[in-house]
Structures are given as structure tokens and as C-alpha cells.
Amino acid sequence: MGAAPKSAPPPAKRRLWVIVGVLAAVLAVAAILVGVFWPRGGVTPAATEAARPTPSATVAPTTPATGNGAGATPAPGSSAAPVTPQPASCDDLYSAEMVAAFGRMELNPAWLDALDNDMKIGEDDPVQQGVIDANDSLLCQWGMPEGPSGAGVSTVVVWVDSEDSATIQAHLADRGDSCFEQQGGLRCTTEGSNDEGYFGESHFLRDGIWVATEYSNAGPEGYTLDIVNNLWPEG
């Protein structure tokens, strides 16, 4: 997931971690895409630097081909653009190997519902929040079954049109993410650390889909590419 050192998060975000508890720190320079709501400390699932590849070169954002992303997700059986994946649930995003790599962590643990958690993705970033609010999305969160642990991964899949895709690409580049071509789309990454661990974001845009992930002290190797390979099994 790429590296770009960031400073410690503001106090306002720390209140969110205590209330909801999934991810770690707010990137001070880059406003958070996926709301950080995991208190720090506690269990740290296995994660390696190999999960966060550093591109050999940074490229200017380009606009991948897009499908019918803006607006409502087509109902099953309707005519959707064939290049735009339409996963029915979070289970469709991950291979069995990726699920196993998370160990004791669960996908969408029940305690998040019990806390009536409505994760405010990108709440400190008007550009990203505006795109998310204007389009359909699928939110998938990994955490420990018993509750907040100081580690977590949160991914939102957003269906976007070409204009929104270009807006996000330009915004990520402007804020200093490392952006590079990968798997037929554009990948942008940023990572930081402090005395409580590491945290970062990984974005992937292709064919009317924006896959946005934020992680804290967690994230098996190849997490983003596993999602990409399940959304586009043809390669």
C-alpha cells in the first residue's frame, strides 16, 4: 500500500476511535478517505511491508475507461455495462486465501451494527466525501469479533462516472499520494506511522469503480490486488 510519512492525527479523530473503533490515525496532510474509528493498541494481525508496494515511478493521473457507475446500482438481471463489476456483497470481494490471512479478524463484525456505526468515509475531505455521497457504494470492514482492538481494515467500493473518477484521481495526486498504473487501472497509495503503529490508504480506479481502503496495523499482503482480481477475474 505505498508510503508517505504523515503526522499524528488531530484530537477530533481520536474521539471517533473511542466511539467506534476501526482504524488508526488521521493523515494530517491528506484528509482521511475512510473514517478512522479504531482505537489504537491491542491486537495486531500479521502484515508486511510487501503488502504496500512502492511504485518504480510516479505517473500523472489518467482516466481509466469507465462504466455506468454514477447513480443507482443496476438490479440483478438488468443491463449493466459489462466492464463495470457489480459485486452483490462484501463476500464477493475476497478470495478464500485472503479471508484466511486475516486470522481471527472478521468481515463486518456484529459489534459495528450494535454500535449503530455509520462510518463517515472521507468526512474531513469534502472532495472525496462529495463523490462518495453522490454515488452508490459498498462498505466492507475487517475487525476483531470482540470489539475495537487497535487494528482494522476498511474498504469502500464506489461506482463512479468518468467525471467523478477524474476528480478523485486529480485529488489524490494533488495531496501527494504515490500514483501508478497497475492491473489496467490507476493505483494511489500513502502510508504513515507514529508511536502507535502504521496506517495508510490504498486507492484503485478502473472501469467505473473506485476501491478505497484505509488500514491501521493490519492488512495481509496483496489485499488490494486480491479485491482487484475478484472484481476483474479476466485480468
Side-chain angles (χ1 to χ4, degrees):
M1 292 181 182
K6 305 292 177 181
S7 59
K13 275 295 175 182
R14 291 184 178 273
R15 290 194 293 271
L16 288 181
W17 304 334
V18 173
I19 295 172
V20 196
V22 171
L23 299 175
V26 177
L27 304 176
V29 177
I32 293 302
L33 169 67
V34 182
V36 177
F37 63 105
W38 290 79
R40 291 296 187 86
V43 179
T44 302
T48 68
E49 287 303 313
R52 300 163 190 86
T54 300
S56 57
T58 299
V59 299
T62 57
T63 303
T66 57
N68 64 335
T73 301
S78 63
S79 57
V83 296
T84 303
Q86 300 288 344
S89 72
C90 293
D91 292 331
D92 295 336
L93 298 183
Y94 307 102
S95 66
E97 292 77 12
M98 181 55 58
V99 173
F102 269 99
R104 290 188 59 244
M105 289 190 113
E106 290 185 355
L107 178 59
N108 298 327
W111 62 267
L112 291 172
D113 293 332
L115 290 177
D116 191 27
N117 172 47
D118 180 18
M119 193 180 347
K120 301 299 184 182
I121 304 166
E123 62 186 348
D124 291 335
D125 188 327
V127 175
Q128 294 179 62
Q129 187 62 59
V131 172
I132 293 166
D133 288 345
N135 296 284
D136 282 349
S137 61
L138 175 65
L139 176 63
C140 306
Q141 306 162 80
W142 289 91
M144 298 304 292
E146 61 269 21
S149 67
V153 179
S154 182
T155 292
V156 61
V157 178
V158 188
W159 284 267
V160 292
D161 61 15
S162 58
E163 182 178 356
D164 284 340
S165 179
T167 295
I168 291 300
Q169 291 175 49
H171 184 64
L172 295 176
D174 288 345
R175 75 176 195 176
D177 285 25
S178 296
C179 295
F180 51 101
E181 295 177 1
Q182 188 177 57
Q183 300 276 113
L186 184 73
R187 178 91 175 269
C188 294
T189 64
T190 185
E191 185 174 86
S193 63
N194 57 26
D195 58 356
E196 295 178 324
Y198 65 87
F199 49 90
E201 300 178 30
S202 173
H203 303 266
F204 186 84
L205 296 107
R206 173 181 168 183
D207 300 338
I209 290 282
W210 169 27
V211 179
T213 296
E214 185 171 67
Y215 55 92
S216 173
N217 295 322
E221 179 178 355
Y223 176 84
T224 295
L225 291 183
D226 188 72
I227 294 175
V228 170
N229 290 334
N230 281 285
L231 287 175
W232 293 276
E234 74 283 358

